[in-house]
PDB file of all heavy atoms in Angstrom:
ATOM      1  N   THR A  88      44.809  58.796  15.055  1.00  0.00           N
ATOM      2  CA  THR A  88      45.206  59.660  16.315  1.00  0.00           C
ATOM      3  C   THR A  88      44.923  58.831  17.553  1.00  0.00           C
ATOM      4  O   THR A  88      44.172  57.724  17.469  1.00  0.00           O
ATOM      5  CB  THR A  88      44.221  60.921  16.361  1.00  0.00           C
ATOM      6  OG1 THR A  88      42.924  60.456  16.400  1.00  0.00           O
ATOM      7  CG2 THR A  88      44.440  61.702  15.058  1.00  0.00           C
ATOM      8  N   THR A  89      45.446  59.224  18.674  1.00  0.00           N
ATOM      9  CA  THR A  89      45.091  58.388  19.835  1.00  0.00           C
ATOM     10  C   THR A  89      43.657  58.449  20.219  1.00  0.00           C
ATOM     11  O   THR A  89      43.037  57.461  20.689  1.00  0.00           O
ATOM     12  CB  THR A  89      45.990  58.951  21.040  1.00  0.00           C
ATOM     13  OG1 THR A  89      45.686  60.275  21.292  1.00  0.00           O
ATOM     14  CG2 THR A  89      47.393  58.609  20.860  1.00  0.00           C
ATOM     15  N   GLY A  90      42.970  59.684  19.800  1.00  0.00           N
ATOM     16  CA  GLY A  90      41.547  59.626  20.118  1.00  0.00           C
ATOM     17  C   GLY A  90      40.781  58.689  19.287  1.00  0.00           C
ATOM     18  O   GLY A  90      39.828  58.073  19.744  1.00  0.00           O
ATOM     19  N   GLY A  91      41.078  58.645  18.040  1.00  0.00           N
ATOM     20  CA  GLY A  91      40.378  57.688  17.098  1.00  0.00           C
ATOM     21  C   GLY A  91      40.690  56.202  17.561  1.00  0.00           C
ATOM     22  O   GLY A  91      39.766  55.491  17.459  1.00  0.00           O
ATOM     23  N   MET A  92      41.939  55.992  18.071  1.00  0.00           N
ATOM     24  CA  MET A  92      42.247  54.673  18.454  1.00  0.00           C
ATOM     25  C   MET A  92      41.477  54.243  19.762  1.00  0.00           C
ATOM     26  O   MET A  92      40.829  53.233  19.889  1.00  0.00           O
ATOM     27  CB  MET A  92      43.791  54.505  18.657  1.00  0.00           C
ATOM     28  CG  MET A  92      44.091  53.120  19.287  1.00  0.00           C
ATOM     29  SD  MET A  92      43.787  51.796  18.140  1.00  0.00           S
ATOM     30  CE  MET A  92      44.695  52.127  16.689  1.00  0.00           C
ATOM     31  N   THR A  93      41.421  55.159  20.610  1.00  0.00           N
ATOM     32  CA  THR A  93      40.577  55.006  21.967  1.00  0.00           C
ATOM     33  C   THR A  93      39.106  54.624  21.668  1.00  0.00           C
ATOM     34  O   THR A  93      38.681  53.736  22.212  1.00  0.00           O
ATOM     35  CB  THR A  93      40.643  56.264  22.877  1.00  0.00           C
ATOM     36  OG1 THR A  93      42.117  56.490  23.225  1.00  0.00           O
ATOM     37  CG2 THR A  93      39.919  55.933  24.127  1.00  0.00           C
ATOM     38  N   GLY A  94      38.505  55.230  20.799  1.00  0.00           N
ATOM     39  CA  GLY A  94      37.167  54.886  20.366  1.00  0.00           C
ATOM     40  C   GLY A  94      37.026  53.421  19.738  1.00  0.00           C
ATOM     41  O   GLY A  94      36.096  52.814  20.197  1.00  0.00           O
ATOM     42  N   ARG A  95      37.999  53.106  18.873  1.00  0.00           N
ATOM     43  CA  ARG A  95      37.805  51.697  18.386  1.00  0.00           C
ATOM     44  C   ARG A  95      38.178  50.737  19.598  1.00  0.00           C
ATOM     45  O   ARG A  95      37.482  49.594  19.512  1.00  0.00           O
ATOM     46  CB  ARG A  95      38.965  51.609  17.317  1.00  0.00           C
ATOM     47  CG  ARG A  95      38.388  52.338  16.022  1.00  0.00           C
ATOM     48  CD  ARG A  95      39.402  51.989  14.811  1.00  0.00           C
ATOM     49  NE  ARG A  95      39.119  52.986  13.732  1.00  0.00           N
ATOM     50  CZ  ARG A  95      39.706  52.879  12.713  1.00  0.00           C
ATOM     51  NH1 ARG A  95      40.807  52.085  12.511  1.00  0.00           N
ATOM     52  NH2 ARG A  95      39.528  53.775  11.627  1.00  0.00           N
ATOM     53  N   LEU A  96      39.222  51.037  20.452  1.00  0.00           N
ATOM     54  CA  LEU A  96      39.451  50.060  21.322  1.00  0.00           C
ATOM     55  C   LEU A  96      38.234  49.890  22.388  1.00  0.00           C
ATOM     56  O   LEU A  96      38.003  48.796  22.918  1.00  0.00           O
ATOM     57  CB  LEU A  96      40.726  50.505  22.168  1.00  0.00           C
ATOM     58  CG  LEU A  96      42.025  50.446  21.356  1.00  0.00           C
ATOM     59  CD1 LEU A  96      43.222  50.978  22.160  1.00  0.00           C
ATOM     60  CD2 LEU A  96      42.334  49.136  20.739  1.00  0.00           C
ATOM     61  N   ASP A  97      37.657  50.960  22.744  1.00  0.00           N
ATOM     62  CA  ASP A  97      36.471  50.949  23.664  1.00  0.00           C
ATOM     63  C   ASP A  97      35.414  50.024  23.073  1.00  0.00           C
ATOM     64  O   ASP A  97      34.970  49.161  23.817  1.00  0.00           O
ATOM     65  CB  ASP A  97      35.949  52.263  23.796  1.00  0.00           C
ATOM     66  CG  ASP A  97      36.747  53.187  24.639  1.00  0.00           C
ATOM     67  OD1 ASP A  97      37.702  52.786  25.407  1.00  0.00           O
ATOM     68  OD2 ASP A  97      36.469  54.441  24.728  1.00  0.00           O
ATOM     69  N   LYS A  98      35.044  50.162  21.755  1.00  0.00           N
ATOM     70  CA  LYS A  98      34.074  49.413  21.111  1.00  0.00           C
ATOM     71  C   LYS A  98      34.472  47.860  21.140  1.00  0.00           C
ATOM     72  O   LYS A  98      33.619  46.982  21.393  1.00  0.00           O
ATOM     73  CB  LYS A  98      33.731  49.885  19.826  1.00  0.00           C
ATOM     74  CG  LYS A  98      32.549  49.219  19.189  1.00  0.00           C
ATOM     75  CD  LYS A  98      31.970  49.743  17.859  1.00  0.00           C
ATOM     76  CE  LYS A  98      30.815  48.922  17.385  1.00  0.00           C
ATOM     77  NZ  LYS A  98      30.573  48.955  16.106  1.00  0.00           N
TER      78      LYS A  98
END
Side-chain angles (χ1 to χ4, degrees):
T88 64
T89 53
M92 179 58 65
T93 298
R95 287 186 190 176
L96 294 177
D97 288 345
K98 185 170 181 208

